[in-house]
Amino acid sequence: MKKEDLRIVFMGTPEFAVGTLKALVENQYQVVAVVTQPDKPVGRHGSVLRAPAVKEYANSVGIPVLQPVKMKDPEFVEQLRSYHADLQVVVAYRMLPEIVWDMPRFGTFNVHASLLPQYRGAAPINWAIINGETKTGVTTFFLDHEIDTGRIILQKEFDIPEEADVEYVYDHLMELGAEIALETIDKLLDGDGEVNTISQDEVITGTPNAESSLKPAPKLFKETCEINWNQPAKKVYDFIRGVSPVPKAWCMMKTDKSPDASLTIFKSALTHRPCDETPGTFMADKKHLFVATSDEWLEIIDLQLAGKKRMLARDFLNGFKL
């Protein structure tokens, strides 16, 4: 089968998924429909609906868009079936029921932003950085009944720079995800739907202590992004860059203008200066802001106090006293 004849349904929602969809379109693959989440209410009263990034791109290139509330809705299932897809490609979307992922004759594969079986879950990029990993990557795998557990098709590695935050890794993995999706589709075309795979159980079994060292990647919420200063500076440093710029690390801070203000921290730096102050203690000179951790001082570089604009620490110190 020629790639122009392969009928593809693409499923995804955020900007991360747009990279792969755009690559499919620009490389003349036939994307017959896009499935994405419903528009999201935004604004103070939720009166404005914001379309997902994938929908905006699909509309711009004239691809039909489906936005089911429930994936098992019979009307949606029949509508999806009417596109007679040979293959479904999923990037950053919800869990699919078998009636959906088993529909195409070539199956349904997912592009996941980690080297599976590590970091199964909704926030693999965040957790890889939070845990201080120096390497991550992308994986394509066939969907099955459990989330992120299907048979692995391809993987591509990516080295994480020590100072990189989520935005940096996100952008690079978005490009790498598009590349691996195209390579996976070409392999399926070459084999008329057949391709060599490896089960994640085999990967786990073949790696010493792998099962006990599997690291999950659950979704992050505001309450789980509060900084715990009772940790070594390197752990706090990795946590801050692992949730920057979203969903954002935060703590409470006392200043001369507020006894208890929420402080968002976007960037910090290791000082390698030992300290014996109580963790969470702030210290400042005219241009530098530091916080005590369990072993060293950590410098705060980029921050935002509640109700104020984001700024560098040196500018913040011009207007506030701790």
Side-chain angles (χ1 to χ4, degrees):
M1 176 184 286
K2 296 180 180 179
K3 73 178 185 180
E4 294 84 359
D5 299 326
L6 182 74
R7 296 176 64 82
I8 299 173
V9 167
F10 182 87
M11 300 183 180
T13 297
E15 182 186 2
F16 187 85
V18 174
T20 299
L21 177 57
K22 186 176 181 181
L24 291 173
V25 172
E26 293 181 350
N27 283 275
Q28 285 77 53
Y29 291 88
Q30 185 184 183
V31 182
V32 295
V34 159
V35 181
T36 189
Q37 295 277 35
D39 294 0
K40 185 178 179 180
V42 295
R44 180 175 297 181
H45 304 293
S47 56
V48 178
L49 293 177
R50 177 178 295 168
V54 162
K55 178 182 178 179
E56 291 182 348
Y57 177 77
N59 285 341
S60 73
V61 292
I63 301 174
V65 176
L66 308 179
Q67 295 179 276
V69 175
K70 295 181 179 180
M71 299 300 291
K72 292 183 179 180
D73 181 354
E75 184 177 346
F76 163 70
V77 172
E78 285 309 308
Q79 191 176 13
L80 183 63
R81 201 185 306 276
S82 71
Y83 286 99
H84 304 289
D86 301 299
L87 174 69
Q88 290 175 160
V89 179
V90 181
V91 185
Y93 193 53
R94 61 203 291 184
M95 188 172 180
L96 304 181
E98 183 175 3
I99 194 173
V100 172
W101 58 255
D102 195 42
M103 192 180 295
R105 66 189 186 99
F106 283 8
T108 301
F109 76 79
N110 185 288
V111 178
H112 187 73
S114 82
L115 298 174
L116 291 172
Q118 294 291 357
Y119 297 107
R120 295 168 173 164
I125 301 175
N126 299 92
W127 283 103
I129 300 173
I130 289 170
N131 289 332
E133 303 285 3
T134 58
K135 189 182 297 292
T136 185
V138 289
T139 301
T140 52
F141 67 96
F142 284 117
L143 267 62
D144 63 12
H145 296 93
E146 303 296 327
I147 189 167
D148 298 338
T149 60
R151 295 186 66 87
I152 294 171
I153 307 168
L154 289 175
Q155 291 188 320
K156 283 180 174 287
E157 295 184 346
F158 175 76
D159 293 327
I160 305 175
E162 185 177 354
E163 72 283 358
D165 61 11
V166 166
E167 186 173 39
Y168 178 90
V169 180
Y170 180 102
D171 289 344
H172 284 75
L173 291 191
M174 180 167 62
E175 295 178 8
L176 205 59
E179 291 178 15
I180 200 172
L182 299 186
E183 290 182 23
T184 300
I185 295 172
D186 288 344
K187 279 186 172 292
L188 285 165
L189 284 170
D190 290 342
D192 194 30
E194 297 295 325
V195 65
N196 291 329
T197 61
I198 182 170
S199 78
Q200 294 190 40
D201 287 340
E202 289 181 57
V203 175
I204 295 170
T205 303
T207 305
N209 303 317
E211 190 158 8
S212 61
S213 62
L214 286 181
K215 300 171 184 176
K219 186 175 181 178
L220 289 159
F221 300 92
K222 181 179 180 181
E223 57 269 24
T224 57
C225 290
E226 183 177 7
I227 299 169
N228 177 11
W229 300 109
N230 293 295
Q231 300 181 97
K234 179 63 165 59
K235 290 283 292 183
V236 179
Y237 169 77
D238 288 337
F239 181 79
I240 291 171
R241 67 192 183 98
V243 293
S244 179
V246 290
K248 297 178 287 193
W250 63 276
C251 65
M252 302 307 293
M253 183 187 207
K254 295 181 180 180
T255 72
D256 60 329
K257 298 180 180 180
S258 175
D260 207 15
S262 176
L263 181 72
T264 298
I265 299 175
F266 294 97
K267 186 176 181 180
S268 63
L270 297 169
T271 66
H272 304 294
R273 290 171 48 194
C275 75
D276 53 10
E277 293 287 347
T278 302
T281 300
F282 283 82
M283 180 184 74
D285 56 28
K286 291 183 179 180
K287 294 183 178 181
H288 303 278
L289 178 63
F290 305 93
V291 187
T293 67
S294 66
D295 62 348
E296 299 175 359
W297 289 105
L298 186 72
E299 183 174 4
I300 307 305
I301 306 295
D302 190 353
L303 52 79
Q304 184 175 12
L305 194 64
K308 304 295 180 179
K309 67 178 183 179
R310 179 175 171 177
M311 64 184 74
L312 296 177
R314 64 172 179 266
D315 298 322
F316 169 81
L317 291 171
N318 287 333
F320 291 88
K321 293 182 180 179
L322 303 181

